[in-house]
Amino acid sequence: MINPLRDVENRRRMIMEMGGQEKIEKLRESGKLTARERIECLLDENSFVELMPFVESRNTDFGLKALPADGVITGYGTVDGRPVCIYAQDFTVLGGSLGEMHGLKIAHLLDFALESGIPVVGLCDSGGARIHEGVDSLKSYGEIFRRNVQASGRIPQINVIMGPCAGGAVYSPALGDFVIMTKNRGCHMFITGPKVVGAVTGEKISPSELGGWEIHAAKSGNCHLVAENDISAMQLVKKLLSFLPLNCDESPPVVNTGDDPMRRTPEIYEIVPEDQKKPYDVRELIRAVVDCREFLEIQPNFAPNATVGLARIDGKSTGIVANNPWFYAGCLDVDASDKIARFVRFCDCFNIPVVTFVDVPGYLPGVEQEHRGVIRHGAKVIYAYSEASIPLITVIVRKAYGGAYIAMGSKHLGADIVYAFPTAEIAVMGPEGAAEIIFKKEIEASEKPEEVKLEKIEEYRQKFANPVRAAARGYIDDVIDPQYTRMRISSALRILERKQRRKKHRNMPM
Ligand code: HXC
């Protein structure tokens, strides 16, 4: 007589063999972990509980047989003692392709995570829709996407691209909050691969040129963080999770970092040049202010003229947004606008206060920007700050000109506390441009136009391009000595801890 328990365990053993030793060896040769090893690498030891391991494909067309776990492992466990749901696509099983049941397992996990109020991590390694299963696999994609949207802004969704991510496979990551890409061989994301691209457009391009990590991290903006390999990707996920609450109704964890919230920051005098034209890297300013100089920059290579990322101040998770004058003078352009708007909205979804450092000459002028829709994209920044009901603290470092002054977390859009350094210049435009326009006739009529121009520039600077005029109107709360930046922000974060939240929203991709 068959022992039922032994029978189940035998079946389970076969499932654990995944796509077979040969396929596993091939995976190892390319330096990758198996799907199960990836899960173990992320989760606390022995914390993984697998759900639905016995699910198998219902389709038998084109000789399709039952596939172990239908090519995806789903379940839950803990990371640093905090719960998380996880799925890992198994490339050894028909290239991690998404068949009907594979997709329904992921959809079920998303329901489970949303009901339980815990984050979902997806480890993606998939050739896309399982071609054998036709429309059934498309149906399952749709079921996943709908749940991604329902979960958006309610539980954090993090996806790691660890191998191919082709066709329909790209959209679930794109609907989530963060995409991490590894530098693994064969790791790329595209809707249509090089062969189809070649056939349709005649363009010849390699998979990595079309959708490798370098492209998505710097050009398309689809990727938020890059990891050297599978192991460092899992470490990055742990780090990211450590900043986030489990869901939108909770606060992020507070960590005792040991860094004194009242610590002075005199190094800012050295970091920020008084000369408005001299560039500096705003990330140095950010590191000086945050706890233990630790700053997890998001999308560092995409639109680097804007810097966004997560840090802790007084142990509290804080979203940091800044213009970075090191790149293109820190102007706001199409990509920088999208980057800032999405990050502010993400923080607003998950109760993470935002500190904004402003040094912006304005929206980037030019035909290319206007034609790409800088109006529409720029509006997103205004929208995001105006909509946000998390604590908003803004520090105007140097330039805050024109529409970009308003957009970058100004008092007028709802910032709770706005400080300015004595070097701040708050004006409709830079003194040079302003003087040339309003004193045009005087300058032209003068015998020494250059001298008059310089005089007028200085006159304008004295009147408007300093923080006092704005402070007199109440547009900023105080002009502060830079060495007190950290303590002022720490104090603001404490007083705003109980700020009442308005209605929640989702985190739409932009
Ligand atoms: C079924 C697939 C598959 C797929 C790969 N396989 N992709 N099976 N459906 N989509 C199978 C292969 O046949 C092979 O099976 C095994 O997985 C490993 O694949 P290889 O090609 O040997 O591996 P590799 O050389 O590393 O190439 C991986 C790959 C390539 C880049 C992913 O397989 C590929 O280009 N696949 C098709 C990608 C694609 O066009 N996807 C779009 C699908 S349409 P054996 O048995 O030999 O091991 C789509 C639209 C949905 O997704 C839209 C929804 C919104």
Side-chain angles (χ1 to χ4, degrees):
M1 206 175 109
I2 299 170
N3 177 329
L5 184 60
R6 196 170 303 151
D7 180 47
V8 169
E9 287 318 311
N10 280 342
R11 284 168 191 266
R12 194 188 301 279
R13 204 166 303 123
M14 280 160 70
I15 289 165
M16 299 301 271
E17 282 168 11
M18 309 166 73
Q21 209 47 43
E22 201 182 310
K23 293 243 160 65
I24 292 177
E25 284 311 319
K26 209 172 154 197
L27 203 69
R28 290 203 201 291
E29 275 165 26
S30 55
K32 295 182 196 167
L33 300 176
T34 66
R36 289 187 185 278
E37 287 166 347
R38 286 168 178 168
I39 291 176
E40 276 171 30
C41 182
L42 176 65
L43 298 186
D44 298 337
E45 213 176 335
N46 293 327
S47 73
F48 182 55
V49 176
E50 188 166 353
L51 299 172
M52 301 187 186
F54 295 108
V55 164
E56 55 188 34
S57 169
R58 298 197 299 173
N59 283 311
T60 52
D61 292 327
F62 303 105
L64 199 61
K65 295 203 181 81
L67 300 167
D70 207 36
V72 64
I73 301 154
T74 61
Y76 62 86
T78 58
V79 172
D80 295 329
R82 303 169 74 218
V84 65
C85 279
I86 186 163
Y87 71 86
Q89 294 179 309
D90 183 353
F91 190 77
T92 68
V93 177
L94 218 52
S97 56
L98 188 137
E100 180 196 19
M101 301 310 283
H102 174 130
L104 292 184
K105 279 177 78 175
I106 298 175
H108 175 267
L109 188 78
L110 286 163
D111 284 339
F112 182 82
L114 186 55
E115 292 281 320
S116 319
I118 55 180
V120 183
V121 177
L123 308 183
C124 309
D125 198 345
S126 171
R130 188 174 296 152
I131 296 161
H132 312 59
E133 296 200 39
V135 73
D136 280 341
S137 91
L138 298 186
K139 170 201 76 179
S140 292
Y141 267 129
E143 297 293 336
I144 294 173
F145 301 160
R146 180 160 56 89
R147 285 165 175 83
N148 285 136
V149 174
Q150 284 165 348
S152 175
R154 297 177 66 192
I155 51 171
Q157 299 181 72
I158 300 170
N159 289 281
V160 191
I161 314 302
M162 311 186 84
C165 183
V170 299
Y171 282 117
S172 185
L175 290 164
D177 300 303
F178 292 103
V179 173
I180 299 173
M181 281 186 87
T182 62
K183 294 186 183 175
N184 286 343
R185 187 157 19 115
C187 175
H188 22 68
M189 288 177 91
F190 35 66
I191 293 178
T192 41
K195 276 193 194 137
V196 179
V197 168
V200 175
T201 69
E203 292 161 301
K204 283 203 175 80
I205 193 160
S206 72
S208 50
E209 283 167 338
L210 185 62
W213 63 269
E214 280 154 309
I215 295 300
H216 289 307
K219 213 164 182 179
S220 74
N222 291 332
C223 163
H224 298 90
L225 292 161
V226 177
E228 283 300 320
N229 51 37
D230 286 2
I231 295 172
S232 51
M234 295 305 98
Q235 285 162 351
L236 216 41
V237 174
K238 276 188 197 181
K239 193 165 189 182
L240 197 48
L241 285 170
S242 77
F243 285 103
L244 311 182
L246 297 180
N247 59 61
C248 66
D249 295 319
E250 294 188 6
S251 298
V254 178
V255 173
N256 182 359
T257 60
D259 197 350
D260 181 3
M262 295 297 127
R263 174 171 56 80
R264 291 187 187 191
T265 48
E267 59 270 44
I268 295 176
Y269 299 136
E270 305 297 321
I271 296 168
V272 181
E274 267 183 46
D275 180 350
Q276 301 279 348
K277 289 203 181 87
K278 271 201 181 151
Y280 64 96
D281 192 336
V282 80
R283 291 172 293 194
E284 281 307 306
L285 168 60
I286 293 166
R287 285 192 198 98
V289 171
V290 303
D291 289 4
C292 309
R293 298 182 58 80
E294 266 187 44
F295 177 50
L296 177 61
E297 190 176 358
I298 308 290
Q299 294 180 305
N301 298 317
F302 174 69
N305 36 325
T307 298
V308 304
L310 293 158
R312 293 190 177 85
I313 297 179
D314 194 14
K316 300 177 186 72
S317 286
T318 307
I320 307 286
V321 177
N323 312 109
N324 194 350
W326 198 252
F327 301 94
Y328 323 126
C331 67
L332 274 184
D333 59 6
V334 166
D335 289 341
S337 298
D338 282 3
K339 179 174 170 179
I340 291 173
R342 180 168 160 90
F343 184 72
V344 170
R345 296 195 82 230
F346 166 78
C347 290
D348 194 45
C349 287
F350 292 107
N351 310 315
I352 302 171
V354 167
V355 173
T356 304
F357 294 100
V358 184
D359 193 344
V360 62
Y363 281 100
L364 181 63
V367 177
E368 191 246 287
Q369 285 290 308
E370 293 289 345
H371 288 190
R372 278 184 67 197
V374 70
I375 297 172
R376 183 177 79 254
H377 295 278
K380 295 179 197 174
V381 182
I382 298 172
Y383 194 108
Y385 276 105
S386 303
E387 174 189 44
S389 56
I390 34 155
L392 294 173
I393 298 152
T394 300
V395 179
I396 301 174
V397 178
R398 294 194 314 189
K399 296 186 257 320
Y401 295 160
Y405 151 70
I406 304 167
M408 290 297 298
S410 68
K411 200 90 169 158
H412 323 296
L413 298 190
D416 299 290
I417 295 187
V418 179
Y419 290 127
F421 286 171
T423 42
E425 287 192 352
I426 305 161
V428 174
M429 61 170 71
E432 289 81 1
E436 277 190 48
I437 294 170
I438 57 181
F439 301 114
K440 185 169 180 272
K441 283 188 190 136
E442 263 179 272
I443 293 169
E444 280 175 1
S446 149
E447 281 176 11
K448 295 178 178 166
E450 272 313 304
E451 261 175 46
V452 176
K453 191 165 115 186
L454 289 176
E455 267 169 35
K456 294 297 176 191
I457 289 171
E458 198 43 40
E459 195 181 320
Y460 189 85
R461 191 188 303 277
Q462 292 296 329
K463 194 154 189 95
F464 288 115
N466 65 63
V468 177
R469 179 84 171 201
R473 295 281 197 272
Y475 304 156
I476 55 177
D477 289 283
D478 203 354
V479 181
I480 62 167
D481 183 333
Q483 68 168 319
Y484 301 126
T485 310
R486 177 173 159 85
M487 63 176 79
R488 289 294 194 124
I489 294 173
S490 297
S491 150
L493 286 172
R494 280 192 186 184
I495 204 70
L496 291 165
E497 241 167 28
R498 284 156 217 85
K499 185 176 171 186
Q500 298 300 303
R501 302 293 322 278
R502 287 195 292 268
K503 207 166 160 271
K504 300 277 170 58
H505 54 77
R506 294 189 168 138
N507 186 27
M508 188 173 171
M510 27 173 109

